Amino acid sequence: MALTRDSVPVIGRVVATETLPASPHQFHFWTPTATPIGIGAIVRVDGEDRTVFGVVLDARAYSDLVTPLHEVIGAEGDPGAAAPPTRRAEIRLWTAAVLRQEPEEPLQPVPLARVRLATPADVTLALRMDAYAQSEPRSAIPVGLYAAGGTRAPVWLDPDFLLGPESAHLNINGVSGLATKTSAVLFLLSAVFQHFPRGKGRIAAVCFNVKGPDLGFLDRPAALTPQDLEMYAALDVAPEPFDRVRFYAPYKADGVNLNTLRTHPALAGSVEPLVWGLREVLDYSEVLLNRDDIDAKADAFLDFLADRVVGKPFIDEWGGRHAVESFGDLERLFRAIFDGLEAAGGRDMWRTHHVATIRKVRNRLMNISTRCKGLVTDDADGNDLPFGAFEDRTVYVVDVAGVDQLGQDLVFTRVVSKLREHLERRDLGVEHVVAFVDELNKYAPADGPETYVRKMLLDLSERGRYLGLVLFGAQQFRSQVHRRVVGNAGTTVYGRMDMDELATPGYQILSPATKIKLATLPKGELMVRHPHFTQPVFVRFPRPASLQGRQGVEQFPPVPDVAFDDAVVRQLAALDRRVPAARVKDLIADRREDDVRRALLATRRARPHDVLAFFAARLGPAVRRQTIGDPAPGADVAPLRTVEDPYAP
Amino acid sequence: MARGLAREAARQPGGRPFAEARVVEGRDVRAIPVGEPVTGPEGMGFVDGIQRFAVEGHFGVTPVVRAQVAAAALERHGGALRCAARSVEEFLTVPRDRLTTDQWEALTDVGLPIQESDPGPRPHPLLDRWAAVQVIEQRRDRCEADAAARFLAARPDAWLVVDGGVTGLAAVRGADRAIGVVKSHETQFLEATDLEAALTLPAGSRSSAFVRRGAGGVEATSWYLRLWPWSEEDLLHGLARVERLTARGALDSADDVSRWLLAERSPVADRDPRWERLLYPMHHVEMYMRAEAGGWH
């Protein structure tokens, strides 16, 4: 591409001395004290036979004053003395890092020539975006607007390096509340959905909502300022909320009220319950085991359960027939084993498994159904994300903000693992999935015990790009996240940073001025590193067009939990407004809550034409309550003998 | 008293250690407090020059000296100095009478103007160089006068501070707006109690004015001004001599001009060893000239 000098005004000149030379990677230039450039500005140097683009990393100003003492003498010790009639000679000396040289070979020191502000076309060249942002059709994702010295230019990411296969993953970093991490990711997701080339396949996003209502209203429009709209136009992104969003949330412990803040009546029915049974949990039982639990014996017993018991007819040594489909069934099997061993004279081995191992596994498994009641059901039937039927340009929000840590780990691990399995088999429904995980420092900490979640995240970071599974991770402190997770992120974004964090070794490559800028970044401004950019670049981005958590809750305040029967009515009414509340209440009166939950879940899953009829059919006929007489005197049932359980919670 | 002399080598005064002057403000010289410093008028100019030279070679024992002289007038607006006039000259200087025709032609082929220096009675390596320096200083004075003349002509209301005396500007139109600031005190115009009064002026005071006669009989009204307090070790510390062409009003404005110059004490020209009597704008002009001239070989 021909690079010609143009009419852009000269703002400075490159200077080089023996102690401050210009090199192929760095140069210095001076400007008048009144200049439009600042840290992060992109400049162009036009030499005789080469053009160099650079980004300003640092700046210094000094005068010809030899020692501050002479200033004191000049003012006769009075800092309030009148300003001297002559201003001292003063210099603004800027340090810039080379972004690109044209021609690229032979690589030579930067010419001692005039410096101009980069034009929008220069920005494209400087950041090497011309290879993908200027192709036809364009294959680029806008991440924000470069803005310095009156120049505004869109900054584009290469989808092959953001979403694979060349490199992948994005990591965003910054202090809570000021770095606008979630906003940045939502804007970028929106840009990805609008600009990811159709020819590269279908794409969806799975966003884990781990705190408050952050991602609960992505389908609702947000109020945007004229400045935001202007930026959307400049970035060629339509300022609209996501038009295809599926919300998932587990139930609360009552099994009927959803554990989410998106419960406003106007949004009723838009949240799918996320409910898992034994099968779903057992496959990821490693998540439930702590470091001390991970041993070959527990593993072997879990494998035995998964391979030989769950979902298959099983006959125990004492003639008991088991069809283990749910936690309830499993508990009955455990009870049969313990009773059988007891009856056999207190044997401590069952099918090569020690009773202590069996008790440990039993306690861990049953613990999840207690701690994550609402997410995990005792029944066999669950309600899951539509693995195999994912839709193009759709956001799947999994709201686990109200679930305890163990449950979050389980959800996170299982969903990501399932995504990976389906992507490997190419049967997910889409070819690319972005998984957005906030608070990455919690799931993949730099230190601490090795957990299944962290192992899975490491695997995702290192292999995900080949599968089309891309991690968009966010955290407050990058230094606290496992280095292989952040290191594998091809694109890194920094919002407002904490100075203590910036003092950690990971930021040594940044100049002091860049660090200061990072520590004082206003909302809506980010520093972006991308494989094509040889230096970080600062960009601005507009507010997301989707309603964000706090505003969402203000606009759609969540309703309080309601009684069991009212919750059932509400959920059925969300499927069909004509369902009469009184009739539903009559149907479920005096019915076991577990039966009602099961029928309700089945109805939600089936989404039948006649909701009430389907619900009633799944509920089955009521069994009339029958009072039997008092047991005969002396016919007391002897209590069961129990073996002491060392792993009881 | 002898302590100061013991610390630094005593300099030999120039060729004219003494000159005549007559006091024109009272009978005897006395210290006159000038009042609080006041910033000079907006648009004030400052002229200074530089000179550089090197012996490029010899014809026999006769040195050929190449020189560059330059001067600039910088004007001050809003505290910032900008170049208003500039004059540069590069030349060779040799004692022509000592060269053969061939040697002279060889020099003219270089393409630089040639200024003749005094051949003296016979060759002498040091005297020949000294003679070349005399030529160079004269050319520099011309450069400075040229820059000053152009400034005064272009800005008919502006005052101009020049480095050194002003009698050389007598022929320049507007020279009555020139203020000379002389840092060297090689020529003494006063004696006895007048001299003592002048050399022991307290800071912020000037001496009574006197008139001295310069080259061609041009008269200048002059006075000493103490910019910084003097010390026991150096009577000349912070002492400048100010002069203006003798004309109507020159004496009347002595206090005003002195106050302007007092205001120039800040900022301090601390990169120059003569900082206590070198005004910062003059230092700036010199810095500008050297930066403009760049490397010179």
Side-chain angles (χ1 to χ4, degrees):
Chain A
M1 174 170 295
L3 296 172
T4 55
R5 290 184 177 87
D6 53 27
S7 57
V8 179
V10 173
I11 56 154
R13 280 191 217 169
V14 177
V15 287
T17 64
E18 198 168 339
T19 53
L20 214 61
S23 71
H25 64 273
Q26 193 178 63
F27 61 98
H28 310 273
F29 65 96
W30 67 269
T31 66
T33 50
T35 177
I37 70 164
I39 301 301
I42 295 177
V43 294
R44 190 182 78 179
V45 181
D46 291 310
E48 284 292 318
D49 52 1
R50 65 179 50 233
T51 297
V52 177
F53 300 100
V55 60
V56 174
L57 298 183
D58 211 344
R60 277 167 284 178
Y62 56 90
S63 71
D64 61 354
L65 181 67
V66 176
T67 158
L69 187 60
H70 291 133
E71 194 74 1
V72 177
I73 293 169
E76 299 189 78
D78 178 11
T86 307
R87 289 202 300 270
R88 278 188 181 276
E90 181 184 337
I91 186 170
R92 288 284 158 88
L93 187 63
W94 305 83
T95 302
V98 172
L99 288 167
R100 186 177 190 179
Q101 291 209 24
E102 192 67 31
E104 306 235 14
E105 292 292 341
L107 190 59
Q108 292 183 350
V110 177
L112 310 187
R114 291 172 169 177
V115 179
R116 292 177 166 87
L117 268 175
T119 63
D122 291 335
V123 173
T124 302
L125 287 171
L127 299 179
R128 299 167 190 272
M129 300 187 294
D130 48 322
Y132 55 97
Q134 291 183 338
S135 60
E136 265 313 321
R138 184 161 58 200
S139 173
I141 313 288
V143 66
L145 270 182
Y146 161 83
T151 301
R152 282 158 61 97
V155 174
W156 305 84
L157 303 180
D158 186 342
D160 287 348
F161 286 79
L162 177 66
L163 304 166
E166 301 298 345
S167 80
H169 312 306
L170 175 135
N171 184 266
I172 184 164
N173 196 34
V175 296
S176 291
L178 293 169
T180 55
K181 300 189 289 287
T182 307
S183 299
V185 167
L186 292 180
F187 169 74
L188 186 60
L189 263 185
S190 192
V192 166
F193 278 14
Q194 293 185 36
H195 284 267
F196 185 66
R198 302 259 168 201
K200 289 183 185 287
R202 293 162 294 180
I203 187 165
V206 175
C207 300
F208 295 92
N209 186 56
V210 294
K211 56 177 193 275
D214 265 8
L215 306 173
F217 305 94
L218 299 188
D219 55 341
R220 316 305 299 184
L224 298 173
T225 63
Q227 290 78 18
D228 290 326
L229 294 173
E230 198 182 321
M231 273 199 266
Y232 271 101
L235 293 165
D236 193 20
V237 175
E240 293 163 359
F242 295 96
D243 60 346
R244 283 200 291 271
V245 188
R246 310 279 183 268
F247 293 95
Y248 292 84
Y251 284 121
K252 290 184 177 171
D254 62 10
V256 283
N257 282 294
L258 285 166
N259 196 350
T260 176
L261 293 172
R262 190 184 161 96
T263 54
H264 190 272
L267 308 172
S270 60
V271 182
E272 281 286 316
L274 186 69
V275 181
W276 291 340
L278 174 63
R279 182 83 254 176
E280 286 81 12
V281 174
L282 195 62
D283 288 345
Y284 301 94
S285 53
E286 295 95 327
V287 179
L288 314 175
L289 302 175
N290 61 39
R291 195 177 186 183
D292 298 332
D293 296 331
I294 301 172
D295 59 33
K297 296 175 201 164
D299 264 358
F301 185 60
L302 283 165
D303 287 345
F304 172 79
L305 289 177
D307 293 345
R308 304 275 302 278
V309 177
V310 178
K312 300 180 178 72
F314 180 76
I315 302 171
D316 64 29
E317 282 83 339
W318 303 280
R321 292 178 177 277
H322 302 273
V324 177
E325 297 287 350
S326 68
F327 280 96
D329 300 336
L330 187 63
E331 175 60 8
R332 278 188 284 281
L333 171 66
F334 280 126
R335 179 51 51 200
I337 294 170
F338 296 143
D339 288 348
L341 292 176
E342 190 64 25
R347 269 171 50 197
D348 58 3
M349 296 296 285
W350 180 75
R351 298 205 178 189
T352 73
H353 302 289
H354 193 275
V355 68
T357 304
I358 300 171
R359 284 191 184 282
K360 180 165 71 174
V361 169
R362 176 228 177 206
N363 284 334
R364 296 294 175 266
L365 289 174
M366 293 309 158
N367 190 27
I368 187 80
S369 71
T370 307
R371 285 175 65 180
C372 304
K373 199 171 174 62
L375 168 66
V376 174
T377 173
D378 278 340
D379 304 318
D381 297 328
N383 195 53
D384 210 351
L385 270 71
F387 296 111
F390 265 49
E391 293 172 7
D392 192 20
R393 324 273 156 170
T394 303
V395 183
Y396 297 87
V397 177
V398 182
D399 191 346
V400 286
V403 179
D404 93 330
Q405 183 64 50
L406 181 70
Q408 286 191 0
D409 288 356
L410 179 63
V411 170
F412 180 60
T413 305
R414 182 170 182 277
V415 169
V416 174
S417 300
K418 292 291 285 181
L419 290 171
R420 194 180 62 184
E421 286 169 24
H422 284 275
L423 283 168
E424 274 178 346
R425 294 200 302 263
R426 298 281 164 204
D427 66 355
L428 183 62
V430 296
E431 286 74 39
H432 304 271
V433 174
V434 173
F436 172 43
V437 183
D438 201 354
E439 308 291 347
L440 207 51
N441 49 311
K442 203 161 70 175
Y443 299 108
D447 41 31
E450 185 71 29
T451 64
Y452 191 78
V453 179
R454 188 165 77 174
K455 277 198 304 191
M456 189 269 303
L457 274 170
L458 283 171
D459 184 63
L460 168 59
S461 302
E462 287 165 351
R463 293 200 319 120
R465 66 191 175 106
Y466 301 111
L467 305 171
L469 184 53
V470 178
L471 175 67
F472 278 18
Q475 70 284 319
Q476 193 168 351
F477 304 115
R478 181 181 159 90
S479 61
Q480 293 177 6
V481 178
H482 198 289
R483 57 186 301 173
R484 276 159 60 201
V485 172
V486 291
N488 273 298
T491 303
T492 309
V493 177
Y494 305 82
R496 168 86 72 95
M497 301 281 293
D498 183 88
M499 277 308 276
D500 287 346
E501 172 71 3
L502 286 167
T504 58
Y507 301 90
Q508 278 179 344
I509 53 162
L510 301 178
S511 72
T514 306
K515 287 182 185 176
I516 290 294
K517 178 154 178 161
L518 275 176
T520 55
L521 267 189
K523 285 184 172 185
E525 196 164 338
L526 303 166
M527 187 178 84
V528 180
R529 301 181 71 181
H530 186 59
H532 287 294
F533 310 160
T534 50
Q535 292 290 331
V537 59
F538 287 92
V539 299
R540 293 177 189 168
F541 69 98
R543 263 178 277 259
S546 301
L547 199 56
Q548 283 200 270
R550 192 178 301 165
Q551 291 80 19
V553 167
E554 283 168 9
Q555 210 167 317
F556 300 100
V559 294
D561 290 350
V562 292
F564 183 81
D565 53 352
D566 288 331
V568 174
V569 169
R570 186 194 292 172
Q571 289 205 36
L572 291 175
L575 298 175
D576 183 355
R577 288 177 179 277
R578 296 165 302 175
V579 171
R583 176 83 179 104
V584 173
K585 287 184 178 179
D586 284 347
L587 269 175
I588 63 176
D590 294 331
R591 305 298 292 266
R592 287 177 54 212
E593 289 189 354
D594 281 346
D595 294 340
V596 176
R597 285 190 199 102
R598 195 176 298 118
L600 180 63
L601 197 58
T603 309
R604 290 200 63 129
R605 203 165 39 234
R607 294 187 174 273
H609 178 67
D610 188 342
V611 170
L612 189 59
F614 185 90
F615 177 70
R618 291 307 298 258
L619 200 56
V623 178
R624 264 196 314 165
R625 189 184 294 266
Q626 186 180 0
T627 306
I628 57 171
D630 291 336
D636 290 352
V637 178
L640 291 171
R641 288 178 60 196
T642 57
V643 177
E644 191 181 347
D645 179 358
Y647 296 98
Chain B
M1 282 296 187
R3 244 175 348 128
L5 285 177
R7 282 194 185 173
E8 63 177 84
R11 284 182 57 195
Q12 179 74 29
R16 293 185 65 214
F18 304 108
E20 294 297 318
R22 69 173 191 282
V23 178
V24 293
E25 198 174 18
R27 259 188 79 233
D28 301 314
V29 170
R30 60 188 175 87
I32 304 171
V34 298
E36 288 298 306
V38 173
T39 299
E42 185 74 358
M44 186 178 257
F46 300 87
V47 166
D48 199 359
I50 59 167
Q51 64 190 46
R52 294 187 289 189
F53 66 91
V55 177
E56 291 289 306
H58 290 83
F59 286 119
V61 295
T62 304
V64 177
V65 175
R66 183 162 72 101
Q68 187 194 49
V69 295
L74 268 55
E75 64 182 331
R76 184 170 65 196
H77 289 281
L81 292 164
R82 281 200 311 264
C83 182
R86 187 164 162 269
S87 185
V88 184
E89 188 182 354
E90 189 170 356
F91 56 88
L92 299 173
T93 178
V94 287
R96 178 174 183 171
D97 291 352
R98 294 224 215 106
L99 302 186
T100 66
T101 305
D102 290 346
Q103 288 170 336
W104 179 255
E105 285 177 357
L107 273 187
T108 55
D109 287 347
V110 172
L112 286 173
I114 302 172
Q115 303 293 337
E116 294 180 40
S117 59
D118 183 3
R122 59 182 189 177
H124 183 301
L126 297 181
L127 288 180
D128 287 344
R129 183 177 294 198
W130 182 82
V133 169
Q134 295 301 110
V135 172
I136 293 164
E137 287 185 345
Q138 285 166 13
R139 301 305 301 179
R140 172 189 155 162
D141 288 346
R142 281 187 55 153
C143 259
E144 289 183 13
D146 179 56
R150 284 198 275 145
F151 176 88
L152 291 168
R155 287 149 179 83
D157 298 322
W159 288 82
L160 179 69
V161 179
V162 302
D163 183 37
V166 293
T167 53
L169 298 175
V172 172
R173 198 172 63 177
D176 56 329
R177 289 178 275 123
I179 302 165
V181 177
V182 185
K183 301 187 293 295
S184 71
H185 299 288
E186 292 182 350
T187 304
Q188 286 303 327
F189 300 96
L190 306 174
E191 56 184 312
T193 55
D194 287 346
L195 178 64
E196 184 170 348
L199 298 190
T200 57
L201 285 172
S205 295
R206 69 173 177 88
S207 70
S208 307
F210 55 92
V211 170
R212 67 133 182 141
R213 193 179 294 271
V218 177
E219 286 195 341
T221 301
S222 183
W223 62 89
Y224 287 95
L225 175 65
R226 180 73 71 182
L227 297 170
W228 295 98
W230 60 281
S231 66
E232 283 290 314
E233 296 177 4
D234 186 3
L235 287 174
L236 304 181
H237 183 87
L239 187 68
R241 187 167 64 79
V242 185
E243 68 177 36
R244 294 184 58 201
L245 288 175
T246 299
R248 198 170 61 182
L251 181 58
D252 297 340
S253 62
D255 284 344
D256 288 338
V257 168
S258 297
R259 283 199 290 270
W260 297 345
L261 296 178
L262 277 178
E264 301 295 343
R265 292 182 305 179
S266 178
V268 174
D270 55 345
R271 286 186 183 268
D272 195 295
R274 306 163 299 171
W275 65 269
E276 94 290 356
R277 64 194 102 158
L278 174 64
L279 306 184
Y280 181 82
M282 307 302 283
H283 166 67
H284 191 108
V285 177
E286 198 175 310
M287 208 161 51
Y288 169 80
M289 294 304 302
R290 294 199 183 283
E292 272 288 291
W296 189 78
H297 304 285

